[in-house]
Structure formats: structure tokens, C-alpha cells
Amino acid sequence: MTQLTSRRRFRLQRRSLVAGLGGLAALGPIRLARAAGNPKVVVIGAGVAGLSASKTLSAEGVDHVVIEASERIGGRIYTESTTFGTPCDVGAHWLHNGETNPLVPFARRSGIDVYEAGEVEGLFAGGKWLEGDAEEEIWDEVDDAESAINRAVDRDRDVSLRSVMDSDTSPLAAFLVGAYEHAASVGSLSTIDWDRQEEGTDMFHDGALGSLAAAWGAEVPVQFNTAATRVDWSSRGVKVQTSSGTIEADAVIVTVPTSVLAKGAIKFGPDLPQETARAISDLPLGSYNHIVLQMTGNLFEVEEDTMLCYAGNGGTAGLLVNAGGSGLTYFDVAGDFGAKLTRQGEGAMVEFARAALRDMLGAEGLTSLTKAKAFPWEANPLAGGAYTAARPGRARARERLKRPVADRLFFAGEATSISKPATLDGAIAEGARAARVAADEVT
Ligand SMILES: Cc1cc2nc3c(=O)[nH]c(=O)nc-3n(C[C@H](O)[C@H](O)[C@H](O)COP(=O)(O)OP(=O)(O)OC[C@H]3O[C@@H](n4cnc5c(N)ncnc54)[C@H](O)[C@@H]3O)c2cc1C
């Protein structure tokens, strides 16, 4: 995800090279050690929201248990090192809202170099790099679209971005306004939800963000390979049925992605109140996936961490070239086009990236490509997509989802953040918020 609110494209600072986090040991499953008897709170999910909830509950002295369906912590933030022989962030890679993101000071304490991100420096469309007026035209279209959205918001109109934008806005400008940052195309984005998202400082790093988040959450005891299947809240407290038995508690904090909840992966008995169920379906996860390219040389002739955008072959993509000096380029597809391509499979995704490289760099581009792999999140049943975007007309869904149910069911995660949805720091803040409310109820 990127923040593209101004057309300034400059590199704000260079940095010294220090060792990244790729060398952090992979974290194996931690067995849960806790006192006998029922916990006060069950936290479902060990992504950053669940980890943050657990840290807060521990600080408040509330006995709790964290259950996680997979065998690792982090959820949608994850670093894998096997494919490319170097750490690759399969999910989140950017540190948004650097001013308030707790991972920023944690990274610095861990010896990771964190520095301000630049902005998009090159646009490729119609078979060439855009220059002069042609490039300015695209940025003018972006400005026009953002002004139109702001006017709609001023009149409290919660409609799709597309409905207020010029109908002849180019695919590249539409991508820059919508899918590149928000994972959904302009036809599926709410003006008010789009507008409420804070524009903090974006940061890059020369480490591996998934490993960083794993180190940040390593202190949290988690019961792995334990999927919640049903939450019974029919009488006092809750009974959480899992693949490893039932846990009784006073309250539950659910941090599972909304698209997973919408598919009924966890049943609730009785059914959730209509406003909560509706909020879950109004906050689907959009499509945003990395096709990671390992390349030799510097054919783009740019500095590391340079951002470029591509339109061609019927699609659009954003590139982060040589991320953190890793030699990996994140070629990102998103929104309607990205979702359609992703449904065609990893082979089609890689083929699209290869065709784009050929367009941008000629045949040499392909010879410099040593390895490519796509990481489709829609295919992951524990995620179901990248991150949430409220449907047009449904911007208030985030408020509805964060409302406690019967003072014992609490929902948290990036989806419940109003000003920082779709981000790590939004999810962390929401996990802590839900934990504080739950702690008040159970103590
Ligand atoms: C490709 C991609 C790029 C992104 N880029 C960025 C970025 O650059 N910067 C940024 O800030 N954010 C980015 N994001 C968004 C960010 O990753 C998320 O906002 C954040 O990780 C969400 O955290 P969470 O705890 O709310 O949810 P999750 O991380 O999804 O955690 C939920 C956990 O619940 C578990 N779970 C699911 N079902 C069950 C069940 N039935 N029982 C038990 N456990 C269950 C899951 O396995 C998971 O561990 C990106 C996301 C993707 C996919």
C-alpha cells in the first residue's frame, strides 16, 4: 500500500546500510503455558491485532488465551526466505503512519534502519515512460479525482469514488487514486471511508517486516493449530469451540479477517446481531497481491526503493524496485484487475509481470529476471484477501463492527480502525482498544 496524496516525487533521505532483520531466527510454535481453570478472555487470531490485544491484557493482569488457526503468528504480515534465498515480505512491507506506528521504534531498537519513503517517480503507459505534459496530465487527473471526492465528502455523500470522478479518468490515474493504496477499485470504494484514512508519514526499512512483527510478538504465548469454529454466547460468558476442544471464558476478542467471518468460518450461537453481521459483510477484503521479481543488475536505472507505476496489457501495477536493497522488486496488482488476474492463478500473474517487464525494459528485462513468484492472499482461507475497504454507502460499518456485543463479544483488527484501516498500526491500536474494553468488563 502507498500513500499518494501529493504529486511530490522526491527522495527525502538516503541512509546508511545496516543489517536487516532477515537473519532473525524463524519463530517456532510456542506451547501455551497457563494456570489451570478457565481464562477470563479468549483472543481469536494471532495477527498483530491479536498479539496487541494479548500484550494489553497481560499489562492489565487479565488471564487470557490466544488461539491461532495456523502454525505461526503474524497473519497478513509474514516474511518467507526460502523462495529467493533472501527475506521476502509476502504481506505488509510498508510502515505507514510512522509517527504513531509502534513497529517503527521497535525496528530502530532492533537495529533496523527506518527511513521516510519517497513517492511514485515514474509512470509507464501506452508503451512508453511518460514525460513532461503526458506525465503531468496523469497527476492532474489524480488531483481532479481527489478534489471531486473531497467535494462529495464535504456534502456528506457516501458514494463510490467512480461515481464522482470524471468518466474519462485514465486507468492509471484511477489505479493511483484507488486500488494501489486501497486494494479495491474506484467503483468499490466509499468516498467517506477513503477520506477518513489518515495521511501519516510512510516509512521504508532495510529489514524484513514480517520478521520484525514476529519478533515484536514473540513474547505472546499462543496456542497454534487451533481454529475457532463456533462461539456460543447464549448464556453467561462464552464457549469457544475450537479444533482442539472448547474453551470457556467471560469474553472473546475476535480478530479474524472479515472476509473469513463473512464465509461463516466461525459460527455464532445465537447469530450475531444484524448490525454486526451487516458490518462484516460491508467490509470485504480487497485484492492486493505481490508478484515478487528477483532481478540482476539495475535495468530500471533507479535507486533502491523507487516506486513506479505501469499500465499496459489490459492491466495496471505498482512497482517497488529493489526494496530495501534486497534485490527483490515487488510488482503489485490490485483491485478489480488484480482480483481477476489472481483468479487465473499464479502462472497468469507471473506472466503479466513478465509481459510488463518486456514492455518497460525490452527483451533484456526478461533476461535479468532470475526468479518470480506470486503470493495470492485470496487463496489463503485464513485471510480471504488483502485488507478491508468499506462498500460505497457503508462507511459507518467500521463503527458498527467495533461496538461490543452483549458486553462479551469484541471485534478488533484493521477492519475496525476508522482512521487507519488496512494498516498494521491500525490493527495494533484496535487490538489494544478491544482488550482495554474487555478488561473493564471482566475485572
Ligand atoms: C499483500 C498485502 C500487503 C499489505 N501491505 C501493507 C503495508 O505495506 N503496510 C501496512 O501497514 N499494512 C499492509 N497490509 C495490511 C496488513 O497486513 C493488515 O492490516 C494487518 O496485518 C492485519 O492484522 P490483523 O491482526 O487485523 O489481521 P490478520 O493479520 O489477518 O490476523 C488474523 C489472524 O487470525 C487467524 N485466524 C483466521 N481464522 C481463524 C480461526 N477460525 N481461528 C483462529 N485463528 C484464525 C489468522 O491465521 C491470522 O493469524 C498488507 C496486507 C497484504 C495482504
Side-chain angles (χ1 to χ4, degrees):
M1 297 186 350
T2 61
Q3 296 279 344
L4 290 166
T5 47
S6 103
R7 66 174 61 191
R8 297 284 76 81
R9 282 150 273 155
F10 53 88
R11 303 195 59 75
L12 288 153
Q13 64 182 69
R14 298 308 305 156
R15 61 194 188 284
S16 62
L17 282 171
V18 299
L21 266 178
L24 278 182
L27 293 163
I30 303 163
R31 286 312 307 168
L32 185 75
R34 57 178 310 279
N38 294 338
K40 290 270 187 201
V41 179
V42 179
V43 178
I44 306 179
V48 289
L51 297 170
S52 168
S54 174
K55 284 171 183 248
T56 303
L57 290 170
S58 295
E60 304 256 346
V62 177
D63 184 26
H64 66 281
V65 52
V66 182
I67 60 169
E68 165 58 47
S70 75
E71 72 299 335
R72 62 167 178 85
I73 60 173
R76 283 172 273 165
I77 176 164
Y78 174 55
T79 299
E80 74 104 277
S81 301
T82 46
T83 305
F84 300 102
T86 191
C88 166
D89 282 326
V90 172
H93 177 77
W94 298 63
L95 289 160
H96 296 296
N97 307 307
E99 297 83 353
T100 53
N101 191 329
L103 293 175
V104 169
F106 181 77
R108 290 194 167 125
R109 284 199 301 277
S110 308
I112 300 298
D113 196 11
V114 178
Y115 46 96
E116 204 165 323
E119 298 198 13
V120 173
E121 296 184 44
L123 303 176
F124 186 96
K128 58 179 184 299
W129 292 103
L130 302 183
E131 287 174 1
D133 288 349
E135 189 183 11
E136 283 308 307
E137 254 174 51
I138 299 290
W139 291 109
D140 285 345
E141 286 184 48
V142 170
D143 287 347
D144 290 348
E146 293 190 351
S147 302
I149 297 163
N150 290 334
R151 283 195 300 276
V153 170
D154 287 346
R155 296 200 300 277
D156 206 25
R157 291 186 63 212
D158 186 7
V159 294
S160 78
L161 305 196
R162 178 173 294 292
S163 69
V164 299
M165 287 164 54
D166 278 350
S167 54
D168 56 357
T169 303
S170 65
L172 193 51
F175 177 71
L176 287 161
V177 174
Y180 193 22
E181 181 177 350
H182 301 274
S185 291
V186 289
S188 304
L189 288 168
S190 142
T191 44
I192 290 186
D193 194 46
W194 182 94
D195 178 67
R196 292 199 296 186
Q197 304 188 17
E198 266 175 30
E199 290 163 18
T201 303
D202 289 333
M203 314 288 290
F204 280 143
H205 51 90
D206 61 1
L209 202 55
S211 301
L212 181 80
W216 176 80
E219 75 200 48
V220 175
V222 175
Q223 187 165 316
F224 290 99
N225 301 309
T226 304
T229 52
R230 182 181 167 84
V231 175
D232 180 336
W233 55 289
S234 54
S235 51
R236 264 186 98 242
V238 292
K239 291 190 189 74
V240 180
Q241 283 176 21
T242 79
S243 49
S244 317
T246 299
I247 309 169
E248 292 188 32
D250 292 353
V252 62
I253 299 176
V254 182
T255 70
V256 169
T258 45
S259 286
V260 175
L261 293 173
K263 283 193 185 131
I266 302 178
K267 308 272 183 265
F268 291 86
D271 287 346
L272 289 172
Q274 210 185 350
E275 77 154 8
T276 310
R278 178 88 181 267
I280 288 168
S281 72
D282 286 342
L283 291 166
L285 272 66
S287 178
Y288 188 103
N289 293 305
H290 302 310
I291 305 164
V292 182
L293 312 174
Q294 191 167 40
M295 298 171 75
T296 53
N298 179 11
L299 290 189
F300 284 107
E301 296 179 355
V302 294
E303 294 179 326
E304 61 197 50
D305 288 318
T306 294
M307 291 164 57
L308 308 169
C309 276
Y310 168 83
N313 284 298
T316 43
L319 285 82
L320 176 60
V321 180
N322 191 13
S326 64
L328 302 180
T329 289
Y330 291 84
F331 182 98
D332 295 342
V333 291
D336 293 345
F337 168 74
K340 191 171 161 206
L341 184 67
T342 302
R343 282 194 294 275
Q344 291 166 25
E346 289 180 34
M349 296 169 82
V350 168
E351 216 23 70
F352 177 70
R354 286 171 58 87
L357 278 189
R358 205 181 301 117
D359 277 358
M360 290 183 282
L361 301 172
E364 224 189 321
L366 289 186
T367 53
S368 77
L369 181 66
T370 52
K371 203 173 250 185
K373 180 163 171 50
F375 296 96
W377 282 87
E378 287 94 314
N380 180 339
L382 301 178
Y387 40 86
T388 54
R391 294 187 198 281
R394 307 286 187 216
R396 310 291 171 203
R398 300 192 194 277
E399 283 95 325
R400 295 202 308 272
L401 186 59
K402 72 200 289 178
R403 237 168 255 157
V405 175
D407 294 331
R408 54 187 186 276
L409 267 58
F410 305 94
F411 290 86
E414 58 87 8
T416 57
S417 176
I418 292 167
S419 59
K420 300 172 188 172
T423 64
L424 296 165
D425 55 317
I428 291 170
E430 281 299 298
R433 173 201 57 80
R436 282 192 301 272
V437 183
D440 278 353
E441 291 297 336
V442 301
T443 52

